[in-house]
Amino acid sequence: MAASRPARKGVAIDATSADTKTRILDAAESLFMEHGFEATSLRSLTTAAGVNLAAVNYHFGTKEVLFQAVLTRRLDPMNQERIKLLKGVEREAQGRALSCEKVLFAMLIPALKIARDEKRGGKNFLRLLGRAYADPAPFIRHFLSGQYAEMIGLYKEAFLKALPHLSRQELTWRLHFVMGALSYTLAGTDAVKLFAQMTAVEKYDDELLLQRLAPFLVAGLKAPALADSRKLELVSGD
Amino acid sequence: MAASRPARKGVAIDATSADTKTRILDAAESLFMEHGFEATSLRSLTTAAGVNLAAVNYHFGTKEVLFQAVLTRRLDPMNQERIKLLKGVEREAQGRALSCEKVLFAMLIPALKIARDEKRGGKNFLRLLGRAYADPAPFIRHFLSGQYAEMIGLYKEAFLKALPHLSRQELTWRLHFVMGALSYTLAGTDAVKLFAQMTAVEKYDDELLLQRLAPFLVAGLKAPALADSRKLELVSGD
DNA sequence: GTCTATACCACGATAGAC
DNA sequence: GTCTATCGTGGTATAGAC
């Protein structure tokens, strides 16, 4: 997704007023994070970037491709780091049973690092990502599934070793639940207000949030496999 | 949100080709579910409903209000049923400690019932709802927080009794995680494919899904409160 | 190759005729 | 209540300047 544009020959790129393409990417990231994909117009975007309207079409083709480029720039390094951390955990285990907590943390930490790094988009980027997860647009879903395929595959194998009581199928569902709680949590800083009474004292603190999320997810992952002993019944109340 | 339109005088409403307003609502529900809010144009919507473009503006004011009306029609009864079921659970407990499972099931069952009732929108409505949860548009967030306020408040009190080891604050977060996993799961029938290897054998089965989701959520809710013994550390891999 | 001006069609919304 | 006509703005496409 990088570019099909031919590389600059020997021209040095001015750092202060960068490459047109980079200027578009930066402005797009900021505006998409703030207003979402649909609510961000190319006209306001190009104005903010100080480039011509048609420049987006020239460099990226469509607004959708631009959106993917914005995501890729942050997402690809994050998932690569997740893979690297996982390999570290596996190496450290030296063949012994993998720790479920450690595998999960390897998955969460790169997200936390991004949340703290304003230069890589910070919390707002994660919110943008969380929203993208639930987006109905086919182009977003296909794009994300491609971006995540490798990482998810590796983590699934690791969790299978860490949680031997789960079948492959069951684990697939649980990872789905984990990603749901994670992306929703990251995306929903505002939605928290749904549950009112969120004390003003407790400001949004990423580290604290993940420290709360992690025990919840670990307990869920470790829960015994599907017990059909306790069946859901469609009782009508009263 | 019902209507500010003056009531029909004594005119009987034809059931087969219903009320213009109802025709719009039905078409809107179907199209919003299929394509999402932004991707559904009023022109295609009114064509499908067999009404004039301006009819939406006349009956609902804006596309946003129409969207809220579509959601309210299903959401309000669902949340009322959740409240009714919860009261049944509380009555049954007779002052004894509440069962966390039973409270959770009271919350999940009305959703499952909608998923199975094609006449009330079925699975697609829940997907629409799940997406709405993550939507950045302020009008959607404000609307949902109003729709959910009462139900969430009552359930929070119930869970506090069922899970006495959790502080109010901690429970708020856990309910947030629960709603995240739930709405993401409901919304993401397609996103499941992110995790590949979802056997074609296992078709989408709502009941089975909730039977898998429930143990995960119960375990997460019951997990011990925030253990700062095991701190997240920003170790770099390797 | 890179950028700009401009034209195009679809969208949501609204005013006013009937 | 319903319709048509029309407005401003959206994403996109292209011809031509540098």
Side-chain angles (χ1 to χ4, degrees), chain A residues 1 64-73 139-140 143:
Chain A
M1 225 49 40
E64 294 187 353
V65 174
L66 170 60
F67 184 68
Q68 293 174 342
V70 166
L71 288 185
T72 301
R73 189 163 61 148
F139 86 94
I140 293 183
F143 166 76

Side-chain angles (χ1 to χ4, degrees), chain A residues 133 145 156 169 194-195 202, chain B residues 156 169 184 194-195 202:
Chain A
Y133 250 89
S145 87
K156 195 189 278 187
Q169 205 174 60
L194 274 180
F195 306 91
E202 168 146 21
Chain B
K156 195 189 278 188
Q169 204 175 61
Y184 179 84
L194 274 181
F195 305 92
E202 169 145 21

Side-chain angles (χ1 to χ4, degrees), chain B residues 1-8 19 21 25 58-61 65 69 72:
Chain B
M1 227 44 45
S4 54
R5 183 179 59 109
R8 291 274 183 120
D19 201 27
K21 201 169 174 176
L25 274 176
Y58 175 74
H59 285 286
F60 296 94
V65 174
T72 301

